[in-house]
Amino acid sequence: MEGYSYLLELNEDEEVSFNPALAVKMEELGVEWPAPEQIELTDASALLEQVRKAVSARAGWQVSERMVLDAFNSSKEVMYRDLRDNMQRVLGSPLVRTLGLGADAAGTADSFGFDPVPLEQIDQKQPPEKAPLVLDADSSQRQCVAAAIEGRSFVMDGPPGTGKSQTITNMIAGLLEKGRSVLFVSEKAAALDVVRNRLEQVGLDDYVLALHSNTANRKQVAQELGRSLAAPRRSFPAARRDELLKAEELRRELSGYAAAMNEHHEG
């Protein structure tokens, strides 16, 4: 537009990257495309020369020196490469077969079938005063936490407001207590934020690394890792024996009261 001038500056917070989708397409076409580690992305002339060399044997192909400004999103390219490079491993996974073919697929029942702890026995199988819970949980939620800690694969279903995020928080805390690593994924970023905030509220935020949204670039990930590593270690004092015994006594009294209230008494 006449009377206006524009200045483009390189955002040094982001790393310059080669178009990954283009590299995948060239590979499918049989073109020996230069690998990212072989490319000096800050030298445009050298980059174009390598591209010309790669397509020189292709009739009708040419390299045009022009610039296009747009917002490109290649976040799914990593998933594409992972699925392609590990296709046989993915297809051989019983969990993937179950998700893709349903519960009746061959071999899935033996891999994932299990009997959850009966609700009326949850206090005996997993006493709440000894369970690795960081938030309140009712018997059905504790049933899910117990199954997760045992390494079971299952689906937890429930309408909004029934405590699914709170239960997931307890699951993650319980698995951390067992020395396990947890990958929590969700289609909606809001669900990730809810669980992350709850873990932060109970003092476990140093064990959380948020990798969602377009703001989680390499620099921010490195900074977050540095923050967690440099943070002073928190101490979570274990409950004393007398406290555990008192909690067990109170739990037995409450459970007995609840059972008595639900008994049928003849007039």
Side-chain angles (χ1 to χ4, degrees):
M1 296 176 62
E2 187 176 352
Y4 289 86
S5 61
Y6 299 90
L7 175 63
L8 299 179
E9 293 184 359
L10 184 65
N11 181 6
E12 297 182 354
D13 290 337
E14 293 283 351
E15 292 185 3
V16 180
S17 61
F18 202 50
N19 184 349
L22 180 59
V24 171
K25 187 62 178 180
M26 293 299 102
E27 184 178 345
E28 292 177 352
L29 295 173
V31 178
E32 294 186 5
W33 205 245
E37 59 270 15
Q38 299 174 331
I39 302 173
E40 182 57 52
L41 297 177
T42 57
D43 187 346
S45 299
L47 172 59
L48 289 174
E49 187 59 35
Q50 290 188 62
V51 173
R52 288 192 180 94
K53 182 179 179 181
V55 302
S56 59
R58 296 275 169 164
W61 287 42
Q62 63 179 7
V63 178
S64 300
E65 295 189 21
R66 65 190 184 95
M67 179 181 291
V68 177
L69 297 180
D70 200 350
F72 298 100
N73 185 357
S74 59
S75 58
K76 294 184 178 180
E77 185 267 341
V78 176
M79 291 188 291
Y80 170 83
R81 283 186 176 273
D82 183 51
L83 289 172
R84 185 196 60 183
D85 297 342
N86 299 281
M87 183 181 300
Q88 295 306 316
R89 182 180 179 185
V90 172
L91 293 176
S93 167
L95 181 57
V96 173
R97 290 181 60 81
T98 303
L99 292 173
L101 302 177
D104 297 329
T108 58
D110 295 336
S111 300
F112 301 107
F114 74 98
D115 294 322
V117 178
L119 293 179
E120 63 273 12
Q121 297 180 17
I122 189 68
D123 282 349
Q124 289 74 40
K125 298 292 185 179
Q126 191 189 63
E129 62 274 7
K130 297 180 181 179
L133 301 174
V134 294
L135 297 172
D136 292 339
D138 61 23
S139 56
S140 61
Q141 294 168 345
R142 288 167 53 204
Q143 189 181 46
C144 295
V145 175
I149 293 175
E150 290 177 0
R152 303 293 187 179
S153 296
F154 61 97
V155 175
M156 181 178 66
D157 188 23
T162 52
K164 294 187 296 297
S165 296
Q166 186 159 321
T167 305
I168 292 172
T169 303
N170 274 326
M171 289 180 183
I172 294 175
L175 290 167
L176 287 176
E177 195 263 346
K178 295 292 184 180
R180 302 290 298 277
S181 297
V182 181
L183 174 63
F184 175 44
V185 298
S186 173
E187 185 177 358
K188 297 180 179 179
L192 300 175
D193 292 335
V194 168
V195 173
R196 181 188 62 185
N197 292 339
R198 295 195 175 195
L199 288 168
E200 181 179 357
Q201 290 168 3
V202 297
L204 295 177
D205 49 313
D206 286 339
Y207 299 91
V208 178
L209 177 62
L211 291 174
H212 66 85
S213 79
N214 294 328
T215 60
N217 56 42
R218 293 184 181 181
K219 181 178 180 180
Q220 290 171 317
V221 169
Q223 290 175 339
E224 184 64 16
L225 284 173
R227 182 196 66 80
S228 295
L229 291 172
R233 295 299 90 192
R234 302 180 184 180
S235 60
F236 298 92
R240 300 193 307 270
R241 177 175 173 79
D242 59 331
E243 293 175 332
L244 291 175
L245 291 175
K246 181 63 175 178
E248 181 179 358
E249 179 183 350
L250 292 173
R251 188 253 303 169
R252 291 182 183 277
E253 290 181 5
L254 290 171
S255 297
Y257 179 78
M261 288 290 293
N262 287 282
E263 287 182 357
H264 179 72
H265 299 274
E266 297 292 340

